[in-house]
Amino acid sequence: MPPKADINKAGWEQSEFPILCEACLGDNPFIRMTKQEYGRSCGTCARPFTVFRWKPGTDARYKSTVICQTCAKVKNVCQTCLLDLEFGLPTQVRDTALAVQRDAPTSDINREYYAQNMESQLEGNKTSLSSSRASSAGKEMLKQLARTDPYYKRNRPHVCSFYAKGECARGDECPYRHEIPPNNELSHQNLQDRYHGRNDPVARKILTMNAEQHGLKPPDDETITSLFLSSLSPKSTEQSIRTRVLQSLPSVDPTLLKSIVHVTKTRCAFVNFREREAAETAAQAWANGLEIDGEDVTIKWGRSKAGKNGTSINASATPVSA
């Protein structure tokens, strides 16, 4: 007679092997892993799950899984580094390129309920992440940014806190790195923000560099909050442009889209946002191109001009011909 199930463990996860990327596994094909059932709560859904711990290499630090397999499958990420398994990129970069809506439960109860629903969908061969609607420009963007080789450098030991204080006397025998840790935004990341793809400094750096390489570096004038679209389709209308813009920016609040000024004669349009951050997000998402009504449009930042009182006003207020 099988043992009676523990009702308190309903919804908890058991697994036989972790979901990991090649870099987290390390370059050694033979590794030892320890497995601890219900070793900790998932960093995203807060449900207990099976924790795996291993050492990727001789000079590497011990690593462990930090999220459950259900959450890893929903986002298609590694259970340890939380990077996309296909492209090796942060989820914010991938979701921005594929125009995927990022939903993030807040309370612990909602997080667990969300994970259980996702688990039932995965069992029915349904996935919450679909790239079928992704544009060719978005897929091309991911191919360009994808890491082709495993980045084993992130498996290195942690920085020695005693060395940073100037107090470590172990020298070469110290198992930790003798380096001064950088103090910038890249060194302060939140696990849930990385998983759900929001406020991720690493993703923001990647997207900003990609936008600059495609000529969409944000102008120094912070008052510029508009993007100029040219080479539009002759059948494009203000409504079709608005629909496509909102569809390609699911993470941007629709109320932040101030207006769209469409000039039919010159087949161009100004997309005006209420906040500079929303305009920069749009530039990052459209860096590799944007398709509207079957045409690949050209994207540039709007320009400012001095007003009568010497202040700077947005050029989008007065459309000009391309």
Side-chain angles (χ1 to χ4, degrees), residues 3-230:
K4 186 177 180 181
D6 189 347
I7 192 172
N8 293 324
K9 296 182 179 180
W12 295 10
E13 183 182 271
Q14 287 181 302
S15 55
E16 296 299 327
F17 196 82
I19 300 174
L20 302 173
C21 63
E22 188 176 350
C24 286
L25 273 173
D27 54 354
N28 186 352
F30 304 101
I31 59 174
R32 288 183 176 181
M33 280 189 178
T34 61
K35 184 178 77 169
Q36 182 181 8
E37 293 186 352
Y38 315 132
R40 70 171 66 158
S41 61
C42 175
T44 58
C45 71
R47 298 186 307 164
F49 72 105
T50 302
V51 177
F52 295 89
R53 191 170 182 266
W54 72 100
K55 194 173 184 180
T58 305
D59 299 328
R61 71 177 186 272
Y62 277 98
K63 308 191 77 170
S64 63
T65 52
V66 295
I67 63 173
C68 67
Q69 289 201 2
T70 298
C71 292
K73 292 176 182 177
V74 168
K75 288 286 188 177
N76 192 38
V77 296
C78 172
Q79 281 187 264
T80 299
C81 65
L82 306 186
L83 296 180
D84 181 78
L85 291 173
E86 184 177 357
F87 301 102
L89 296 170
T91 57
Q92 184 172 338
V93 175
R94 181 198 61 197
D95 293 350
T96 299
L98 299 181
V100 175
Q101 178 65 43
R102 300 189 289 268
D103 47 355
T106 53
S107 67
D108 290 345
I109 298 177
N110 289 341
R111 285 158 57 190
E112 185 171 352
Y113 178 73
Y114 171 82
Q116 290 178 355
N117 284 343
M118 291 299 101
E119 191 172 32
S120 61
Q121 290 185 18
L122 290 172
E123 290 177 356
N125 296 325
K126 298 178 182 179
T127 57
S128 62
L129 177 64
S130 174
S131 60
S132 59
R133 297 189 302 107
S135 63
S136 57
K139 295 179 180 178
E140 186 64 27
M141 173 180 173
L142 292 179
K143 291 179 181 179
Q144 292 179 4
L145 297 177
R147 286 175 174 159
T148 55
D149 298 323
Y151 185 64
Y152 296 118
K153 189 177 179 180
R154 66 169 179 256
N155 293 338
R156 295 182 301 167
H158 292 293
V159 173
C160 178
S161 59
F162 288 96
Y163 177 83
K165 298 176 183 178
E167 301 175 357
C168 184
R170 288 182 286 185
D172 295 337
E173 296 180 357
C174 182
Y176 300 98
R177 286 159 45 206
H178 280 190
E179 297 178 9
I180 300 298
N183 188 16
N184 51 33
E185 64 172 1
L186 298 180
S187 60
H188 301 284
Q189 297 184 63
N190 180 277
L191 187 146
Q192 289 195 37
D193 287 346
R194 287 173 58 192
Y195 176 80
H196 291 291
R198 61 189 181 192
N199 303 323
D200 187 348
V202 176
R204 186 161 53 245
K205 179 181 178 181
I206 295 174
L207 291 171
T208 300
M209 292 177 59
N210 182 64
E212 292 179 358
Q213 291 176 358
H214 288 80
L216 287 175
K217 180 180 179 180
D220 296 332
D221 188 354
E222 293 288 339
T223 62
I224 300 177
T225 59
S226 67
L227 293 172
F228 178 70
L229 310 182
S230 60

Side-chain angles (χ1 to χ4, degrees), residues 155-308:
N155 293 338
R156 295 182 301 167
H158 292 293
V159 173
C160 178
S161 59
F162 288 96
Y163 177 83
K165 298 176 183 178
E167 301 175 357
C168 184
R170 288 182 286 185
D172 295 337
E173 296 180 357
C174 182
Y176 300 98
R177 286 159 45 206
H178 280 190
E179 297 178 9
I180 300 298
N183 188 16
N184 51 33
E185 64 172 1
L186 298 180
S187 60
H188 301 284
Q189 297 184 63
N190 180 277
L191 187 146
Q192 289 195 37
D193 287 346
R194 287 173 58 192
Y195 176 80
H196 291 291
R198 61 189 181 192
N199 303 323
D200 187 348
V202 176
R204 186 161 53 245
K205 179 181 178 181
I206 295 174
L207 291 171
T208 300
M209 292 177 59
N210 182 64
E212 292 179 358
Q213 291 176 358
H214 288 80
L216 287 175
K217 180 180 179 180
D220 296 332
D221 188 354
E222 293 288 339
T223 62
I224 300 177
T225 59
S226 67
L227 293 172
F228 178 70
L229 310 182
S230 60
S231 303
L232 290 167
S233 171
K235 61 181 181 180
S236 293
T237 62
E238 180 180 335
Q239 185 58 41
S240 66
I241 297 173
R242 178 183 295 272
T243 300
R244 183 67 184 104
V245 165
L246 293 176
Q247 182 186 20
S248 63
L249 301 173
S251 61
V252 175
D253 189 347
T255 60
L256 295 180
L257 180 59
K258 184 178 180 181
S259 64
I260 292 180
V261 182
H262 181 215
V263 185
T264 308
K265 183 178 180 180
T266 55
R267 293 170 54 191
C268 66
F270 285 99
V271 182
N272 305 313
F273 296 91
R274 299 185 186 276
E275 297 180 0
R276 172 60 175 255
E277 184 178 354
E280 291 183 2
T281 300
Q284 294 170 358
W286 302 341
N288 287 66
L290 177 66
E291 182 180 329
I292 300 179
D293 296 324
E295 292 286 341
D296 293 328
V297 301
T298 303
I299 304 164
K300 294 182 180 179
W301 275 94
R303 290 180 293 179
S304 62
K305 62 181 181 180
K308 294 182 179 180

